[in-house]
Amino acid sequence: MMHFVGAGAPSPVAVPSRLDAFVASQQFDRPTLVMDLDRVEQQYNALQSGLGHARIHYAVKANPAREIIARLVELGSHFDAASKGEISLCLEEGARPQDISFGNTVKRASDVAWAHQQGITLFAADAQEELEKIAENAPGASVYIRLIVEASQADWPLTRKFGCDRDTAMALLGYAKELGLNPVGFSFHVGSQTRRAKMWVPMLNVMAEIWRAAHAAGHAVSVLNIGGGFPAFYGEAIDAPEIYARQVIDLVTERFGDKVQVMAEPGRGMVAEAGVIVAEVMLVSRKSDRDMHRWVYLDIGRFSGLAETEGEAIRYQFETPRDGEPMGPCVMAGPSCDSADVLYEKRPVHLPMTLKAGDRVLIRNTGAYTSTYSSVCFNGFPPLDVVVI
Ligand SMILES: *Cc1c(COP(=O)(O)O)cnc(C)c1O
């Protein structure tokens, strides 16, 4: 008997991506994030092309896999590091100290001293005490002051905890000078997963006003650190990275002119779409005959990589080998014995009705904020494994 291409066979035109081809050829005995380095490189090039002269400082916390840092060093990226651990990692992978900013506004004094010894010269601050810490442990360093973002339209806002208001920021510029530091400018973060470039407008308007006020007060600020916020595709339409980045830069140039030195710190936008998690269904059940929704328990949950399902904020895309069969809603949960380990319930996920224990589940575009958020081994479930290809 001869078999021709039929239902279920891969279409001859759709060439599987490098990632898909690798995943299809492998067995995994635990939840695994597979990252494609070439895809990271593509993303870096697209972002840099859209960002023009702006300097990219990759936000290491999004995915600190060594291979990713090494590839980005090769490509000429700079880095935004939040801790001694992240700085060490970047240095070990070949980044130069002058290409790393210590961007956390909450730093241990001994880590500031250590970073200074390593040659790091650029630090973030949003409080007096932090400036004092930097002046004492990294005398003469350059600092930028982080502004608070009041009304973020992001899916994962980074407001409230970070930044200070305008008057405080102005006072901090003066105080930094008094302490012998070099206050070079400002930073902010519009919030992670800001889906549209136009959502940056309110914050950029506020920043432009502060920028003018700083100059009027005699502070020759020259650096504008626009942070991250560059989105990934999680099912809702977004612009391609190059287009999005160019739109943001156009908005910046309209307000700040083209003399300003712009730093951008993409994390999610750099790595999310370069990764896929391979997981498995552990159980499909109903609580009663009348239960509207099935419960689908995966071998990965809130504590082993999917932390951003908190508040159902980030909605991942799931793929199974049974896609194409009749679909139905389900509550999706992780494997641990903790009732907070429910991923999606308010807005149920639609999955094939025939799904059963043992089926493979691919979770798309999960290269950011997954492996880094994974617990050591909560409840004996293995942390997310990472394979870089
Ligand atoms: C987390 C973080 C980023 C990265 O944000 P994304 O939205 O992932 O691009 C950038 N800058 C700072 C200071 C951050 O804390």
PDB file of all heavy atoms in Angstrom, residues 3-19:
ATOM      1  N   HIS A   3       1.145   5.280   0.777  1.00  0.00           N
ATOM      2  CA  HIS A   3       0.479   6.351   1.532  1.00  0.00           C
ATOM      3  C   HIS A   3       0.869   7.705   0.979  1.00  0.00           C
ATOM      4  O   HIS A   3       2.043   7.994   0.830  1.00  0.00           O
ATOM      5  CB  HIS A   3       0.868   6.279   3.012  1.00  0.00           C
ATOM      6  CG  HIS A   3       0.179   5.177   3.712  1.00  0.00           C
ATOM      7  ND1 HIS A   3      -1.052   5.311   4.291  1.00  0.00           N
ATOM      8  CD2 HIS A   3       0.546   3.888   3.907  1.00  0.00           C
ATOM      9  CE1 HIS A   3      -1.418   4.157   4.815  1.00  0.00           C
ATOM     10  NE2 HIS A   3      -0.468   3.274   4.598  1.00  0.00           N
ATOM     11  N   PHE A   4      -0.138   8.469   0.666  1.00  0.00           N
ATOM     12  CA  PHE A   4       0.137   9.842   0.246  1.00  0.00           C
ATOM     13  C   PHE A   4      -0.167  10.767   1.414  1.00  0.00           C
ATOM     14  O   PHE A   4      -0.697  10.334   2.440  1.00  0.00           O
ATOM     15  CB  PHE A   4      -0.695  10.189  -0.988  1.00  0.00           C
ATOM     16  CG  PHE A   4      -0.263   9.393  -2.181  1.00  0.00           C
ATOM     17  CD1 PHE A   4      -0.938   8.231  -2.524  1.00  0.00           C
ATOM     18  CD2 PHE A   4       0.846   9.775  -2.914  1.00  0.00           C
ATOM     19  CE1 PHE A   4      -0.511   7.476  -3.604  1.00  0.00           C
ATOM     20  CE2 PHE A   4       1.271   9.025  -3.996  1.00  0.00           C
ATOM     21  CZ  PHE A   4       0.589   7.864  -4.348  1.00  0.00           C
ATOM     22  N   VAL A   5       0.184  12.012   1.242  1.00  0.00           N
ATOM     23  CA  VAL A   5      -0.061  12.986   2.307  1.00  0.00           C
ATOM     24  C   VAL A   5      -1.556  13.044   2.603  1.00  0.00           C
ATOM     25  O   VAL A   5      -2.365  13.243   1.711  1.00  0.00           O
ATOM     26  CB  VAL A   5       0.428  14.393   1.893  1.00  0.00           C
ATOM     27  CG1 VAL A   5       0.099  15.411   2.975  1.00  0.00           C
ATOM     28  CG2 VAL A   5       1.920  14.354   1.635  1.00  0.00           C
ATOM     29  N   GLY A   6      -1.921  12.798   3.812  1.00  0.00           N
ATOM     30  CA  GLY A   6      -3.339  12.799   4.181  1.00  0.00           C
ATOM     31  C   GLY A   6      -3.559  13.599   5.430  1.00  0.00           C
ATOM     32  O   GLY A   6      -2.679  14.341   5.871  1.00  0.00           O
ATOM     33  N   ALA A   7      -4.742  13.438   6.010  1.00  0.00           N
ATOM     34  CA  ALA A   7      -5.078  14.187   7.223  1.00  0.00           C
ATOM     35  C   ALA A   7      -4.059  13.877   8.317  1.00  0.00           C
ATOM     36  O   ALA A   7      -3.672  12.731   8.509  1.00  0.00           O
ATOM     37  CB  ALA A   7      -6.473  13.824   7.685  1.00  0.00           C
ATOM     38  N   GLY A   8      -3.642  14.885   8.999  1.00  0.00           N
ATOM     39  CA  GLY A   8      -2.738  14.671  10.134  1.00  0.00           C
ATOM     40  C   GLY A   8      -1.273  14.704   9.720  1.00  0.00           C
ATOM     41  O   GLY A   8      -0.414  14.975  10.537  1.00  0.00           O
ATOM     42  N   ALA A   9      -0.986  14.441   8.465  1.00  0.00           N
ATOM     43  CA  ALA A   9       0.416  14.502   8.039  1.00  0.00           C
ATOM     44  C   ALA A   9       0.816  15.964   7.886  1.00  0.00           C
ATOM     45  O   ALA A   9      -0.010  16.802   7.549  1.00  0.00           O
ATOM     46  CB  ALA A   9       0.585  13.782   6.720  1.00  0.00           C
ATOM     47  N   PRO A  10       2.087  16.256   8.142  1.00  0.00           N
ATOM     48  CA  PRO A  10       2.508  17.652   8.021  1.00  0.00           C
ATOM     49  C   PRO A  10       2.340  18.137   6.593  1.00  0.00           C
ATOM     50  O   PRO A  10       2.614  17.401   5.653  1.00  0.00           O
ATOM     51  CB  PRO A  10       3.982  17.634   8.437  1.00  0.00           C
ATOM     52  CG  PRO A  10       4.399  16.206   8.420  1.00  0.00           C
ATOM     53  CD  PRO A  10       3.172  15.368   8.514  1.00  0.00           C
ATOM     54  N   SER A  11       1.875  19.340   6.446  1.00  0.00           N
ATOM     55  CA  SER A  11       1.711  19.906   5.115  1.00  0.00           C
ATOM     56  C   SER A  11       3.084  20.083   4.488  1.00  0.00           C
ATOM     57  O   SER A  11       4.034  20.472   5.166  1.00  0.00           O
ATOM     58  CB  SER A  11       0.976  21.241   5.235  1.00  0.00           C
ATOM     59  OG  SER A  11       1.584  22.191   4.399  1.00  0.00           O
ATOM     60  N   PRO A  12       3.207  19.777   3.197  1.00  0.00           N
ATOM     61  CA  PRO A  12       4.538  19.842   2.569  1.00  0.00           C
ATOM     62  C   PRO A  12       5.089  21.267   2.484  1.00  0.00           C
ATOM     63  O   PRO A  12       6.278  21.438   2.322  1.00  0.00           O
ATOM     64  CB  PRO A  12       4.295  19.274   1.176  1.00  0.00           C
ATOM     65  CG  PRO A  12       2.825  19.331   0.948  1.00  0.00           C
ATOM     66  CD  PRO A  12       2.168  19.314   2.280  1.00  0.00           C
ATOM     67  N   VAL A  13       4.224  22.291   2.606  1.00  0.00           N
ATOM     68  CA  VAL A  13       4.753  23.659   2.509  1.00  0.00           C
ATOM     69  C   VAL A  13       5.253  24.201   3.841  1.00  0.00           C
ATOM     70  O   VAL A  13       6.175  24.988   3.888  1.00  0.00           O
ATOM     71  CB  VAL A  13       3.718  24.659   1.921  1.00  0.00           C
ATOM     72  CG1 VAL A  13       3.738  24.582   0.402  1.00  0.00           C
ATOM     73  CG2 VAL A  13       2.340  24.430   2.483  1.00  0.00           C
ATOM     74  N   ALA A  14       4.624  23.782   4.949  1.00  0.00           N
ATOM     75  CA  ALA A  14       4.999  24.331   6.253  1.00  0.00           C
ATOM     76  C   ALA A  14       6.281  23.679   6.746  1.00  0.00           C
ATOM     77  O   ALA A  14       6.281  22.545   7.186  1.00  0.00           O
ATOM     78  CB  ALA A  14       3.877  24.127   7.257  1.00  0.00           C
ATOM     79  N   VAL A  15       7.380  24.386   6.625  1.00  0.00           N
ATOM     80  CA  VAL A  15       8.653  23.859   7.134  1.00  0.00           C
ATOM     81  C   VAL A  15       8.685  24.135   8.636  1.00  0.00           C
ATOM     82  O   VAL A  15       8.511  25.277   9.058  1.00  0.00           O
ATOM     83  CB  VAL A  15       9.855  24.560   6.459  1.00  0.00           C
ATOM     84  CG1 VAL A  15      11.163  24.028   7.000  1.00  0.00           C
ATOM     85  CG2 VAL A  15       9.776  24.397   4.951  1.00  0.00           C
ATOM     86  N   PRO A  16       8.876  23.085   9.462  1.00  0.00           N
ATOM     87  CA  PRO A  16       8.880  23.346  10.900  1.00  0.00           C
ATOM     88  C   PRO A  16      10.061  24.230  11.283  1.00  0.00           C
ATOM     89  O   PRO A  16      11.127  24.145  10.665  1.00  0.00           O
ATOM     90  CB  PRO A  16       9.016  21.952  11.532  1.00  0.00           C
ATOM     91  CG  PRO A  16       9.512  21.066  10.445  1.00  0.00           C
ATOM     92  CD  PRO A  16       9.110  21.677   9.140  1.00  0.00           C
ATOM     93  N   SER A  17       9.859  25.084  12.273  1.00  0.00           N
ATOM     94  CA  SER A  17      10.950  25.929  12.742  1.00  0.00           C
ATOM     95  C   SER A  17      12.027  25.027  13.350  1.00  0.00           C
ATOM     96  O   SER A  17      11.777  23.866  13.669  1.00  0.00           O
ATOM     97  CB  SER A  17      10.441  26.918  13.781  1.00  0.00           C
ATOM     98  OG  SER A  17      10.100  26.218  14.969  1.00  0.00           O
ATOM     99  N   ARG A  18      13.214  25.594  13.527  1.00  0.00           N
ATOM    100  CA  ARG A  18      14.315  24.864  14.164  1.00  0.00           C
ATOM    101  C   ARG A  18      13.883  24.336  15.516  1.00  0.00           C
ATOM    102  O   ARG A  18      14.148  23.203  15.892  1.00  0.00           O
ATOM    103  CB  ARG A  18      15.460  25.876  14.337  1.00  0.00           C
ATOM    104  CG  ARG A  18      16.824  25.300  14.473  1.00  0.00           C
ATOM    105  CD  ARG A  18      17.837  26.413  14.232  1.00  0.00           C
ATOM    106  NE  ARG A  18      18.335  26.962  15.488  1.00  0.00           N
ATOM    107  CZ  ARG A  18      19.417  26.486  16.128  1.00  0.00           C
ATOM    108  NH1 ARG A  18      20.077  25.471  15.645  1.00  0.00           N
ATOM    109  NH2 ARG A  18      19.818  27.042  17.247  1.00  0.00           N
ATOM    110  N   LEU A  19      13.146  25.208  16.240  1.00  0.00           N
ATOM    111  CA  LEU A  19      12.651  24.862  17.575  1.00  0.00           C
ATOM    112  C   LEU A  19      11.694  23.673  17.481  1.00  0.00           C
ATOM    113  O   LEU A  19      11.834  22.683  18.214  1.00  0.00           O
ATOM    114  CB  LEU A  19      11.924  26.091  18.130  1.00  0.00           C
ATOM    115  CG  LEU A  19      11.884  26.366  19.612  1.00  0.00           C
ATOM    116  CD1 LEU A  19      13.245  26.256  20.245  1.00  0.00           C
ATOM    117  CD2 LEU A  19      11.297  27.763  19.860  1.00  0.00           C
TER     118      LEU A  19
END
